[in-house]
Amino acid sequence: MTTPAAADPGRPLAAWERRRLRGIERGLRTGTRGRLVLCLVLDVLALTLLAAGIFVALPWLFAACVAGNVAVCLHLGRR
């Protein structure tokens, strides 16, 4: 029986690839507390503006879209 291609781990990583992956992983782990608080504040702000836009006035909905985009960029952005 042959091993499926998806189970094949491929060639071992080169030293520079391992260093680069370790650096990316380290960057994802450091400074999470302050960044998490900022992300949560922006999420709450975006949801509040969204609710105000639906129930109060349309300009608040636009502000919610802008705040939501900023929050998403912060969540996905690099350090």
Side-chain angles (χ1 to χ4, degrees), residues 19-62:
R19 281 193 304 273
R20 183 164 174 97
L21 288 174
R22 247 185 260 123
I24 292 171
E25 180 184 353
R26 210 174 305 118
L28 291 174
R29 281 188 278 150
T30 58
T32 56
R33 180 171 294 232
R35 189 175 172 101
L36 177 64
V37 170
L38 183 60
C39 286
L40 289 176
V41 167
L42 275 173
D43 290 342
V44 169
L45 176 68
L47 290 174
T48 303
L49 290 172
L50 181 65
I54 292 171
F55 296 113
V56 178
L58 196 56
W60 291 102
L61 190 60
F62 176 73

